[in-house]
Amino acid sequence: MKLKRRDFMKVISVAGVGAGLLPKDYLFSSPTLSVPNGMKGKWMSTVCQGCTTWCPAQAYVINGRVIKVRGNPHSKANHGKVCPKAHLAIQQMYDPDRIKVPLKRTNPKKGRNEDPKFIPISWDEAINTIADKMLELRKREVPERFAVLRGRYSYMRDVLYGAVPKILGSPNGISHSAICAEAEKFASFYTEGYWDYNDYDLEHTKYVLSWGADPLSSNRMIPHAISIWGKVRDQAKIAVVDPRLSSTAAKADHWLPIVPGQDGALALAIAYTILTEGLWSKEFVGVFKDGKNLFVKDREIDETQFEEKHTHGVIKWWNLDLKNKTPEWAEKKCGISADLIKKIAIDFALAAPRAISWVSPGASMQVRGGYGAMAAHALNGLVGSIDNKGGVVQKKSPPVNKTPKYSKYQDELAKKHSKLKKIDQRGSKAFPAMKKKPGKGVVTNNVADAILESKPYPLEMAIGYWNNFAYSCSGAERWERALTKLPFFVHITTNAAEMTQFADIVLPAAFHMFEKWSFVKQKQNLHGYAGITQKIVEPFWDVKMDETEIPYMIAKKLADKGFSNLLDYYKNEFKDPETNKVPETEKEFALSALKFYTHPLWNGSAASKGDKITSWKEFQKLGVWNTKRYTYKTKWDHFKTETKKFEFYSETLKKNLNLHAEKHSTTVDDILKTCKYTSFGELAFIPHYEEPYRWGDEKEFPLIFSEHRSRLNREGRSQNTSWYYAHKNCDPGDENWDDVIKLHPKTAKVHNLKNGDKVRVTSPTGSLECTLKEWEGIRPGVAIKCFGQGHWAYGSLASANYKKKIPRGGSNNHILPADYERLSGSTARHGGVTRVKIEKIV
């Protein structure tokens, strides 16, 4: 007996075109399938991209339908497991509210309150319109006024995000990265020369000091953390620094409910204690020549008295800042008792080198968070846990083919204009954005202001994919105004998101996990890996793959109109490595491009670095290629810093800050002042204390606002699934089918609020409405809310009323201001960046 397509479609019945919104009775019933007795399915490999862990996974497919998911048993990184996020992907793919066909805007007026009046059109009409707009910019010799705005991505990204703007003649491939975690990477790079996410040797660690990280729920490597946390609890001590009792804090030895934004004070006091107690790593850091510990409160030390080994500048750090950063000083700043600070510091150091100081976005994505994040990461250097067993290690990357160069496909117009300034204003005086070098980072959220200001030039056309900046960026209202101003916008998306409402053309995207050919690279559990997503089921709707099929279709249309450069690039550079065949259709191109990138992984040439896979068919079946396990201490004295050592006094940061200051004919002190920092001189080059920067006067806005992530958040894209709401209380303090802001009962009493009150939360920049929850797992004086709800679009469940654009719950980005950790370019959304007031709605 076969499961018929029409029977399946009855369950997920489609109404109309566009968003295809259904009555809630249908939507709330998740797409379930009754499988006939005896019908067998097949496990097929793919990847979950519900967060940046990108776990290798498998989907169980019966008669062309995905029934369930699990971890990929061939993966050495995630123990063959997945977290709850992966399971919600089934509801996402079979969401009846998905965009089903290309759409065209018929209402020329744009704005949140405007009905786009979308009508269905053919793919040919949609692509033809897009190609005409692109060529119009080239005809007027202003191709830089085109941009690709990238959200989440696979490593097929450069096919669209890189090649299209560069070959057209624009510098504007703009990634989402700065709204994610660039300040966290800043800390690693300016101490050890590593700009990426770290890996952590949880298997062998004896101490985990977590700075806002919640690895059992979010912040990467979740399945690995869940799988191994019992072992960690048995063999190690765990301390979690977080104003909220997170899932990880609930399973820790110590919960440190810090005053938001004071992570730097706590980290510096821990460093002070490690040094004054004589507990630093003699092997990694060095020793005093006379054998005596000269780290004594308020005393400066002659640098010649210390013989430094694999680090640089520990004595400078002490003399410039650390010598008076006592636990007693820190207690007044961060709200953690001096005695507990000392205990944490001593226990952490005694466990070393098998100790982890785990820096997260919460401790770094603050207006003045760069130096605090450096301080927290520097603890790994002090105790010698960097690149060491049981400590913090760098990732091993799979050996895939690099994206072919674009240069020989660029004409003179493209070569000249693709070198112009980028639209996000990176490298300007106010945005050093120092990803390895000044101006090399991205300032994603500033694109909205750049569009509004037409600086450095007007933006006339953009293609956005797998993104929703009008929802996911702080100061979201700015994006609404910017997209209203943008003359022509194309949105490639699965759902009718907030950003979609401003689009001129909407292109329905294949769902990444089950309908798309792509690959990703990541690491967990001391293994790097590359996993592939596959088109394991045929889509129900007329969708295309965002990073391959759609740009190929655009390239063909451009060629038809006389500009063949992009199509020539795709055909010449992405031949199928198995057959050497040139791709002639978008479907052929999607697969040949994937095979091109991953060829070294499945032709046997990478066996010395990891798994031995000898054919595409085998790789497709396994779905993952694993590196060999990480080798410790390979980076010692080979760090990619100016000194080749771990830098407490960052010569690397000093060089780049001076380069940026020279570019703008000013001083480093002036640059720091422009970036809202308050310490100058030599302090600019060491981890040091900065008072938290907060929006709002304390008298008017008495509460510090903080936010967290849900273990059900697929990066803000799972909110149109019923399972998200039905299981929301898996996040400590949250409630099913509700959106709550949490206050400690003592704080609620002071403000005459009680459990269940409908409240309005107001900051200096906006407001939202939700429900009040009294909960003891919150630091008094702090209001904490989960990010993820408050969609006014995206679907008939994500929003309370899609047609009237009424949100379900409240979006944190309507009360969070648009501010930045400017040295990295990162959005500043943590550390209590804003104050709020909470009022009962009468």
Side-chain angles (χ1 to χ4, degrees):
M1 179 180 179
K2 290 186 177 181
L3 185 66
K4 296 180 180 179
R5 179 183 177 90
R6 65 172 178 267
D7 294 331
F8 183 77
M9 291 298 290
K10 287 178 182 177
V11 181
I12 57 168
S13 175
V14 182
V17 297
L21 302 174
L22 291 179
K24 291 181 179 179
D25 289 345
Y26 290 94
L27 189 63
F28 285 12
S29 299
S30 60
T32 55
L33 296 176
S34 56
V35 180
N37 291 333
M39 180 176 283
K40 293 184 179 180
K42 180 181 179 181
W43 286 105
M44 301 183 72
S45 295
T46 186
V47 172
C48 173
Q49 287 188 261
C51 74
T52 51
T53 304
W54 297 337
C55 286
Q58 290 187 331
Y60 194 63
V61 181
I62 295 181
N63 196 30
R65 311 293 181 261
V66 175
I67 306 300
K68 55 186 175 181
V69 298
R70 70 179 185 187
N72 188 328
H74 305 294
S75 171
K76 296 178 181 178
N78 63 341
H79 308 270
K81 307 293 183 184
V82 289
C83 79
K85 291 178 173 63
H87 300 281
L88 273 67
I90 299 174
Q91 281 199 328
Q92 277 188 274
M93 180 173 67
Y94 293 129
D95 182 355
D97 288 354
R98 281 181 63 178
I99 303 290
K100 300 167 182 68
V101 296
L103 304 172
K104 179 174 70 175
R105 184 185 202 91
T106 60
N107 181 3
K109 293 183 179 179
K110 292 184 179 181
R112 177 167 174 171
N113 296 319
E114 293 291 338
D115 182 351
K117 296 183 179 178
F118 288 129
I119 62 171
I121 57 174
S122 68
W123 274 99
D124 186 68
E125 181 182 348
I127 299 299
N128 189 67
T129 304
I130 293 166
D132 281 343
K133 292 290 184 180
M134 295 169 73
L135 291 176
E136 179 187 326
L137 295 176
R138 283 185 55 85
K139 183 178 180 180
R140 293 192 285 118
E141 297 189 357
V142 288
E144 72 277 5
R145 298 184 181 187
F146 169 84
V148 173
L149 306 178
R150 188 194 83 197
R152 179 53 61 223
Y153 59 92
S154 78
Y155 277 90
M156 311 293 285
R157 61 191 183 186
D158 286 333
V159 172
L160 170 56
Y161 159 78
V164 173
K166 288 291 186 182
I167 294 174
L168 185 73
S170 172
N172 291 315
I174 305 296
S175 82
H176 81 291
S177 300
I179 66 173
C180 193
E182 295 303 88
E184 176 184 342
K185 299 172 187 175
F186 177 90
S188 295
F189 184 79
Y190 287 104
T191 51
E192 59 172 308
Y194 176 65
W195 190 281
D196 210 327
Y197 300 127
N198 287 294
D199 197 359
Y200 305 94
D201 188 7
L202 294 174
E203 180 181 354
H204 300 109
T205 196
K206 293 184 178 178
Y207 205 105
V208 177
L209 175 55
S210 169
W211 298 89
D214 187 11
L216 298 183
S217 294
S218 63
N219 198 242
R220 295 174 288 285
M221 60 186 67
I222 307 165
H224 169 49
I226 292 173
S227 298
I228 206 169
W229 210 251
K231 176 178 171 61
V232 175
R233 290 281 295 128
D234 288 342
Q235 71 189 25
K237 292 183 179 178
I238 303 167
V240 175
V241 182
D242 197 321
R244 164 183 169 262
L245 184 68
S246 65
S247 298
T248 306
K251 295 184 178 296
D253 297 279
H254 300 285
W255 171 41
L256 285 69
I258 194 169
V259 175
Q262 292 287 4
D263 308 83
L266 178 58
L268 292 169
I270 291 173
Y272 170 95
T273 303
I274 290 171
L275 292 175
T276 56
E277 295 291 331
L279 297 175
W280 72 89
S281 170
K282 312 305 186 291
E283 177 191 17
F284 187 67
V285 181
V287 295
F288 283 105
K289 294 177 181 178
D290 64 2
K292 296 180 181 179
N293 183 6
L294 301 182
F295 291 116
V296 178
K297 182 178 182 293
D298 291 329
R299 291 188 187 177
E300 291 196 6
I301 300 170
D302 184 343
E303 290 182 41
T304 64
Q305 294 179 287
F306 193 84
E307 185 178 343
E308 209 158 356
K309 296 183 179 179
H310 303 288
T311 65
H312 173 77
V314 68
I315 302 302
K316 276 191 174 74
W317 188 22
W318 172 266
N319 289 340
L320 288 168
D321 193 54
L322 271 186
K323 64 181 182 292
N324 60 4
K325 295 301 183 287
T326 65
E328 289 74 19
W329 165 84
E331 179 179 355
K332 297 175 183 177
K333 299 287 186 182
C334 68
I336 307 301
S337 74
D339 288 343
L340 183 54
I341 294 173
K342 291 176 187 176
K343 178 175 176 53
I344 297 295
I346 292 170
D347 288 351
F348 178 78
L350 290 175
R354 299 190 183 194
I356 295 168
S357 180
W358 189 325
V359 183
S360 78
S364 55
M365 293 178 71
Q366 306 172 12
V367 175
R368 296 172 180 155
Y371 291 105
M374 285 178 69
H377 187 65
L379 298 179
N380 295 303
L382 276 186
V383 301
S385 65
I386 286 289
D387 199 36
N388 211 342
K389 188 173 184 177
V392 179
V393 301
Q394 298 180 9
K395 76 175 182 181
K396 298 184 72 172
S397 292
V400 298
N401 282 328
K402 294 182 179 180
T403 299
K405 293 182 179 179
Y406 319 118
S407 55
K408 65 181 180 181
Y409 299 93
Q410 291 179 300
D411 60 15
E412 290 306 311
L413 179 68
K415 288 178 179 178
K416 179 181 178 181
H417 287 252
S418 64
K419 294 178 181 178
L420 296 177
K421 293 180 180 179
K422 289 180 180 282
I423 192 68
D424 63 349
Q425 301 175 356
R426 68 184 73 179
S428 64
K429 180 182 176 182
F431 290 107
M434 298 189 299
K435 179 183 178 181
K436 301 183 181 180
K437 294 181 180 180
K440 295 299 183 181
V442 62
V443 196
T444 314
N445 202 14
N446 195 52
V447 172
D449 292 309
I451 293 172
L452 291 168
E453 298 166 1
S454 295
K455 293 181 180 179
Y457 41 76
L459 195 68
E460 295 186 27
M461 177 181 181
I463 296 176
Y465 83 95
W466 211 344
N467 60 355
N468 190 17
F469 295 157
Y471 171 80
S472 60
C473 287
S474 55
E477 182 271 337
R478 300 155 38 259
W479 276 97
E480 294 175 11
R481 289 190 287 116
L483 291 167
T484 297
K485 179 182 177 182
L486 185 63
F488 191 80
F489 178 55
V490 180
H491 202 205
I492 307 172
T493 181
T494 57
N495 286 61
E498 281 78 0
M499 216 167 174
T500 314
Q501 312 306 313
F502 301 88
D504 297 275
I505 297 290
V506 183
L507 301 180
F511 184 67
H512 69 275
M513 192 169 178
F514 309 122
E515 299 174 342
K516 177 181 174 181
W517 292 108
S518 71
F519 83 102
V520 296
K521 303 180 296 179
Q522 200 43 284
K523 80 283 180 187
Q524 291 183 77
N525 193 25
L526 278 68
H527 287 280
Y529 56 91
I532 54 173
T533 66
Q534 303 191 55
K535 187 178 180 180
I536 59 178
V537 296
E538 285 295 323
F540 282 108
W541 301 296
D542 192 10
V543 302
K544 301 287 184 183
M545 299 178 199
D546 45 19
E547 293 173 316
T548 50
E549 291 185 332
I550 291 174
Y552 190 86
M553 294 169 72
I554 292 173
K556 287 190 72 174
K557 190 62 69 174
L558 289 171
D560 291 344
K561 296 174 182 291
F563 183 74
S564 65
N565 303 45
L566 185 60
L567 185 62
D568 291 342
Y569 173 72
Y570 289 156
K571 285 190 169 186
N572 294 341
E573 303 295 342
F574 292 95
K575 296 176 183 178
D576 188 316
E578 274 192 311
T579 64
N580 204 37
K581 181 181 178 182
V582 174
E584 297 295 342
T585 68
E586 66 270 17
K587 291 183 179 180
E588 289 179 359
F589 177 69
L591 191 54
S592 67
L594 172 58
K595 292 166 76 174
F596 163 80
Y597 277 116
T598 60
H599 191 211
L601 304 179
W602 51 267
N603 68 0
S605 64
S608 63
K609 298 179 179 180
D611 294 345
K612 183 177 181 180
I613 302 175
T614 58
S615 71
W616 166 252
K617 186 176 181 180
E618 183 183 8
F619 184 44
Q620 192 177 348
K621 179 180 179 182
L622 294 174
V624 63
W625 182 93
N626 305 280
T627 67
K628 291 183 177 179
R629 194 169 175 83
Y630 190 89
T631 303
Y632 306 113
K633 296 186 178 181
T634 57
K635 303 297 187 295
W636 287 24
D637 281 345
H638 300 285
F639 293 108
K640 292 182 179 180
T641 59
E642 286 296 300
T643 62
K644 307 302 180 186
K645 297 179 182 291
F646 187 96
E647 295 182 344
F648 297 116
Y649 181 94
S650 182
E651 301 288 355
T652 310
L653 181 56
K654 185 175 186 178
K655 176 183 177 181
N656 282 345
L657 278 173
N658 275 301
L659 285 173
H660 188 69
E662 289 168 9
K663 175 184 175 182
H664 295 283
S665 302
T666 187
T667 64
V668 170
D669 285 357
D670 185 42
I671 294 297
L672 291 176
K673 183 178 180 180
T674 303
C675 294
K676 299 186 178 181
Y677 282 100
T678 60
S679 297
F680 310 111
E682 289 284 274
L683 288 175
F685 316 126
I686 61 169
H688 66 267
Y689 177 72
E690 292 277 348
E691 195 71 24
Y693 185 97
R694 306 200 200 283
W695 286 58
D697 180 79
E698 186 174 0
K699 291 182 180 179
E700 183 178 0
F701 303 99
L703 300 168
I704 299 172
F705 180 76
S706 183
E707 67 170 11
H708 65 95
R709 298 294 180 268
S710 170
R711 65 174 62 198
L712 302 178
N713 273 5
R714 291 180 57 84
E715 299 187 317
R717 294 185 292 273
S718 51
Q719 280 69 31
N720 208 49
T721 69
S722 58
W723 291 343
Y724 178 89
Y725 301 97
H727 302 285
K728 192 65 180 66
N729 66 359
C730 71
D731 297 313
D734 280 3
E735 296 289 334
N736 293 343
W737 296 101
D738 206 349
D739 190 20
V740 300
I741 188 164
K742 299 172 280 288
L743 288 182
H744 192 280
K746 292 181 180 179
T747 306
K749 185 176 182 180
V750 168
H751 294 276
N752 297 313
L753 298 168
K754 64 179 184 298
N755 206 50
D757 283 349
K758 300 300 177 183
V759 295
R760 180 175 296 106
V761 184
T762 305
S763 75
T765 58
S767 65
L768 62 82
E769 295 181 1
C770 60
T771 304
L772 187 102
K773 171 73 179 288
E774 295 184 61
W775 191 50
E776 292 83 357
I778 297 292
R779 179 179 180 85
V782 179
I784 298 184
K785 184 177 175 297
C786 186
F787 170 80
Q789 298 191 52
H791 279 283
W792 54 267
Y794 212 81
S796 53
L797 184 54
S799 56
N801 189 315
Y802 177 87
K803 291 183 178 179
K804 294 183 179 180
K805 301 180 180 179
I806 299 173
R808 179 182 295 278
S811 170
N812 296 357
N813 285 325
H814 285 294
I815 61 173
L816 286 169
D819 214 335
Y820 308 86
E821 197 296 304
R822 294 167 183 262
L823 298 182
S824 64
S826 174
T827 292
R829 59 182 307 118
H830 296 298
V833 67
T834 190
R835 291 184 170 276
V836 298
K837 60 182 177 182
I838 302 179
E839 302 166 297
K840 183 178 179 179
I841 299 173
V842 180

